[in-house]
């Protein structure tokens, strides 16, 4: 029976793979079983955050030493920004086999897509392609019921001048010629692809014009990041499967705003954990964002008007505090940039923890 | 009987006194009764934060229109920095008279000191002077028992080149010739003066050499800020007095680290409030600081290594999130720079709320 | 005969008006003659720069003490941002009368406009209104020939939610409902209004759709800033007039990119100054901007990709260095935000200096 | 005869080694001849600048593919910070052999030192060790006369908790237990080592107490950076040698303050270049720093008081502008952190260019 393993390892720098090496040397992590590594690195999480590329290069070289070319299959999702008290760390997602407590238990599935045609980026073509990949990743995780999916991480491509030119040479038009905007559009279409696959939005509600604009459409389980290094998509689905075994379980909630702790407490309770001091072993995956309204429960915030610190950095620090106060530690995977990933100013929070004995 | 009134007013900008004007026009605030105004303004809270001076100039001009030269007696404490979701606001502290629910109730006392001789700044002379003023402010608030004091705000002076020169011309030596360092030393000596007056440290444990260096000495109720605009000190004491009446009460706790919510929950309980959703009416006064150890509960934080954002800004955003998640709103007076004001990485939190009926 | 006087005064803080008070007390500045004060203040020059408002409040109160309600006629243009070695200072522009060296000499003219209807902001209606005001300010400066105009400063309004609502209630549509974008559109339309009045663009080349978009249309003498505090426009024209007398003269050049010093050297030469060490008395008014192309002479710059420091701050620091290296001092009025104010990545530079005897 | 070759290559990102690969593939660079690569990378140049490590990792892996273990001998000096219009690039310093124009010509010498005992860091022991290495690097460059040395780059170690502990376990004391301060002390001692070797300071003027404190002691040709990755020192000397041949020459000047262009113009003239538009081929190596006095030629600067942008970033942007305005391009190696490397607020500038035919 498949068993999911999630190992959280502190990182002393973006290129600190020593902790992973030690865990592998000890046999705590089996490198062949690694499906994905999520990393919280200490850059600014914005355009010029080189801590992500540095981490990915370091992890890739380390994996290659262990598993050779298969290292390229591992999905490396680096999220920059450990503002406030957040602590840099790696989350190693592993699929093992063996006998353990019977499920349902945490299950991990992965899927890759073909290269996305540039003219489909930020449009329904991308939505459909991602939705299809989410369904395949669910199948890989032995999850049939969309309600049993609690978190979907997608890495998606962006447009470059070269890709735009190639499309235009074929007579195709692209959604935007602004490469920075293409990142947001790609995340937006990917999030809606997740929402579609999970039944959170209906196909009839979606259209090219809604992508990136209609804030009423969102997934409560999506987390998307775009990167220049890939042409297709990498999809990681986390959910509960009756086929999988092991002690880990996952639950999620959707914060309606930046201080909305009730859904997180409910998710803690669903995992059998106390809302007061969930403990050090819990893994937290969350999205944070400054509300476009400029207010939290009617009180003005200044995140969008601060020309010295980007709003995403403010939001991660603040929501990081909200969540750390709840769970009692600071190694939380809180990421920003949340188009269609939760409601405006709020966002999805997934929790992974061992089931109580 | 004296009645304390605390009015929290949202500010749309550092010079936005319209809310105060409206409250005065409506009779909700009696300008003659204003003892102090604390302001949370949206600058960086560091050296070049002009939002504080802008706010103080705007408030001062407004008060002068209402009460003339008496405006200069009002203690204006502007704390810069509304990082994360924190919301700019004013806290108007007022002393009224009348018949109300019998006490003990929130009491407010204020004291000024004579000009501090520059050679005493950051030394025992300042400690003693502040301790004396705290005792006088306690008397003004009709508080005899130091345990009934829950928050003490001190505005203290700093050294300038001119003040240093004047002392040296008299043959006196100063604790530092670095004007920026003198700000920290002045806050440090003031905090120890508060600790001394409240019995939190013994006189025998204090010495010039301990000021600013011995992190083991601290007050759990001190909040200090230094400013160039004054030569002496302004002290505001908040506590519970049997002589005062009215519905307001105050309690406090000391966070041991940035995510230590238990003492805050205890203070909420002491006020008869639920730890889940304390509600919009609660006033929060807190100090936040990045731990010098570089870690929170053993997990590395990156606040001290971030050359793009000062550690105090990170800390306010993060602790602001911790507290906002607890109390349910974002108009919190969270300030930084916490020499001897709580333990390393933690800090005092005072809460003011109406007593349950 | 009118005589222009320009007094440059160092500022130790945004509210430091002591230097102006001293100059007035000495008789060096006659407060009744002040037409405008330009200030370089030490904020970030972006959205949350409160150093500008603080300076304007301080200057306004000071002027009111001297000239009463007439203080409101003085055009106060505060430009935030003294990055790099730039030094905060005031430029007091004064009109005197008397006998002096015969002209042509520096002349200063000022004009105000009526309130701009919100539906005209960022559109041809604003262009026309500004062009008309520039012509009136030229007349006030006794300048008939547009070629004799070397610098035009315009303060222009922006849209607020209230102003947008008022227009829409009347059935009128506005150019944008985004208040931040309205600032850029207002500067853009104002710059094109200047260009139109000075004959730099033809009326037939202008249209609503070109405002803020057609980078090929620009003025080499425009400097525009938008502010919430006014509904109409304030226009200050600086040029050479045969009617004015006095020793001051003005010249200008247009930098084609951020390191294009040749036009500045030519302007220095036009004033009879050496290109090597122009000297401390020279007044410099310049616009700086990061090129949208992402390059300077084919070499990539990183200003637009830096999520820690806004591009305008980078550009002021850098162009400030270019110009300070040329003229030999750092009290330069270098401002950012240059829609239609010079070519992409370059900008106008005006120089004021005494004519050689 | 040895021939020095300096190839400047634009970098599109910290890990962009494509330009070097192309130059090697074309035969323009012979990898075996590379002595050092200096890189200007686009991080913040401060504590958390990961662009440097990312670049060094990328360059190291590239070199290893070409020359194997010999890659470790190449001195990689990554300087973070391309503020203002500065442009990221690599400077590849190569030693070739062949027949060319007879010298004197640019010569390059390199030396490594043994590991520095931690108790010597920031003290005379380090000064002596660096001075000795500079002399050896001069010998390697066939330079006998210290006046013929125009630039010395030193990479030096820092203290870590482990290194401090090792020293203390042996009963040795270290100059500081603050690891950040140890970086500055190491640069300071290294710069004085250079000054000693070049005869810029006398041995009798040096003492432990002067290191990092006596601003009157400095080298006009030193550039030092400290890094955690080495225990000893790497020294690169650039100067003129009669033994070397080739077209390249080097000259230098020392800016007395941030806008002191005269010494740079003199160095341009010494190379036979016009001070107006030196041209794209010139290589510039410079140090930039905010003056501790807080002023430039008596005018206040705000670099040291800006809590949003570190002073080194301001200084690089500004001095970058001063120099780019002079030489006419923006691929300048301007680095910060200048203890004993030029006078306060000023710094050394070295220029490399082909000798006129």
């Amino acid at each position: 029976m498949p068993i999911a393993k999630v190992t959280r390892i502190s990182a002393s720098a973006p290129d600190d793979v020593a902790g992973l090496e030690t865990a592998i040397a000890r046999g705590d992590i089996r490198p062949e079983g690694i499906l994905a590594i999520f990393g919280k690195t200490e850059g600014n999480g914005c355009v010029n955050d080189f801590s992500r590329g540095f981490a990915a290069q370091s992890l890739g070289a380390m994996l290659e030493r262990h598993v050779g070319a298969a290292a390229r299959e591992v999905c490396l999702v680096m999220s920059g920004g450990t503002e406030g008290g957040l602590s840099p760390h790696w989350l190693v997602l592993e699929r093992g086999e063996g006998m353990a407590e019977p499920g349902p238990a945490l299950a991990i599935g992965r899927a890759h897509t073909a290269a996305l045609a540039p003219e489909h980026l930020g449009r329904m073509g991308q939505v459909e392609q991602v939705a299809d990949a989410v369904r395949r990743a669910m199948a890989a995780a032995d999850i049939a019921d969309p309600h049993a999916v609690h978190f979907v991480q997608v890495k998606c491509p962006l447009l470059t001048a070269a890709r735009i030119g190639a499309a235009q040479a074929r007579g195709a038009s692209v959604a935007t010629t602004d490469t920075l905007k293409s990142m947001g559009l790609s995340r937006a279409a990917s999030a809606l692809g997740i929402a579609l696959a999970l039944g959170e939005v209906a196909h009839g509600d979606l259209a090219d014009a809604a992508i990136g604009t209609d804030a009423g459409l969102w997934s409560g389980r999506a987390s998307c990041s775009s990167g220049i290094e890939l042409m297709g998509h990498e999809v990681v689905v986390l959910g509960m499967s009756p086929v999988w075994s092991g002690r880990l379980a996952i639950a999620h909630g959707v914060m309606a705003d930046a201080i909305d702790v009730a859904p997180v407490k409910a998710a803690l309770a669903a995992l059998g954990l106390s809302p007061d001091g969930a403990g050090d072993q819990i893994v937290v995956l969350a999205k944070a964002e400054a509300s476009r309204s400029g207010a939290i429960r009617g009180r003005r915030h200044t995140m969008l008007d601060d020309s010295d610190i980007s709003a995403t950095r403010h939001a991660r620090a603040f929501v990081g505090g909200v969540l750390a106060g709840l769970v009692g530690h600071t190694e939380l995977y809180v990421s920003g940039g949340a188009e269609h990933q939760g409601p405006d100013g709020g966002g999805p929070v997934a929790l992974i923890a061992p089931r109580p004995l």
Side-chain angles (χ1 to χ4, degrees), chain A residues 24-50:
Chain A
I24 290 171
R26 278 189 191 150
D28 290 343
I29 290 177
R30 202 174 53 88
E32 296 77 13
I34 300 175
L35 294 175
I37 302 177
F38 295 175
K40 199 85 210 80
T41 64
E42 56 202 286
N44 62 25
C46 303
V47 177
N48 62 328
D49 180 350
F50 300 108

Side-chain angles (χ1 to χ4, degrees), chain A residues 291-349:
Chain A
S291 64
R292 306 310 303 179
S293 71
I296 299 173
R297 300 192 187 177
R299 306 289 176 195
R300 182 170 71 103
H301 66 72
T302 61
M303 297 188 266
L304 298 174
D305 287 338
D306 190 339
S307 306
D308 298 311
I309 301 178
S310 75
T312 51
R313 304 201 75 182
H314 277 291
R316 276 190 297 266
F318 188 70
V319 175
V322 171
L323 294 173
L326 273 181
V327 304
H329 74 85
T330 56
E331 280 187 351
L332 313 176
Y333 187 86
V334 180
S335 65
E339 302 87 352
H340 302 305
Q341 296 152 66
D344 178 45
V349 181

Side-chain angles (χ1 to χ4, degrees), chain A residues 169-192:
Chain A
R170 283 186 283 106
S173 78
V174 292
T176 179
T177 56
D178 179 328
T179 58
L180 183 62
K181 277 188 192 160
S182 79
M183 298 178 73
L185 277 176
S186 185
R187 287 193 300 261
S190 296
L192 291 176

Side-chain angles (χ1 to χ4, degrees), chain A residues 58-266:
Chain A
S58 303
L59 289 169
M62 190 271 297
L63 287 171
E64 203 175 314
R65 287 193 295 273
H66 288 284
V67 300
R72 273 169 240 151
E73 297 297 302
V74 177
C75 183
L76 302 176
V77 185
M78 300 298 112
S79 165
T82 56
E83 293 82 4
L86 293 174
S87 191
H89 64 282
W90 315 114
L91 294 174
V92 184
L93 306 181
E94 208 182 326
R95 178 185 174 128
E97 295 288 336
M99 298 294 287
E101 301 85 346
L106 173 65
I108 308 171
R110 187 178 62 183
H112 295 79
T113 75
L116 177 74
E119 60 267 35
H120 289 169
L121 188 141
R123 290 175 173 156
M124 286 304 295
Q126 186 176 16
V127 172
E128 309 273 14
Q129 194 183 40
V130 170
D132 175 66
V134 171
R135 289 183 203 107
R136 285 188 288 115
M138 286 172 61
D142 304 298
I143 300 174
D145 179 4
H147 293 99
V149 173
H150 292 278
F151 193 76
V152 183
Q153 178 70 47
V154 170
K155 260 185 89 173
C156 50
L158 51 82
L159 294 179
T160 61
R163 294 173 192 175
I164 294 167
Q168 292 176 335
R170 283 186 283 106
S173 78
V174 292
T176 179
T177 56
D178 179 328
T179 58
L180 183 62
K181 277 188 192 160
S182 79
M183 298 178 73
L185 277 176
S186 185
R187 287 193 300 261
S190 296
L192 291 176
I194 297 169
L196 182 60
L198 301 185
E200 295 174 290
V201 300
H203 198 287
D205 294 334
L206 297 176
D208 283 358
I211 298 171
T213 58
D214 184 346
L217 300 170
W218 48 267
S219 167
R221 291 164 272 172
S223 177
C224 306
S225 68
S226 44
I228 197 170
E229 69 274 26
L230 75 177
M231 302 284 285
H233 301 80
E234 296 179 353
V235 175
V236 178
V237 161
L238 302 179
M240 295 296 284
S241 167
V243 179
W244 288 53
S245 66
R247 279 202 57 206
L248 294 179
I250 185 168
H252 84 279
V254 178
M255 296 172 77
D257 59 35
I259 61 176
D260 184 26
V261 293
V264 188
K265 288 183 176 177

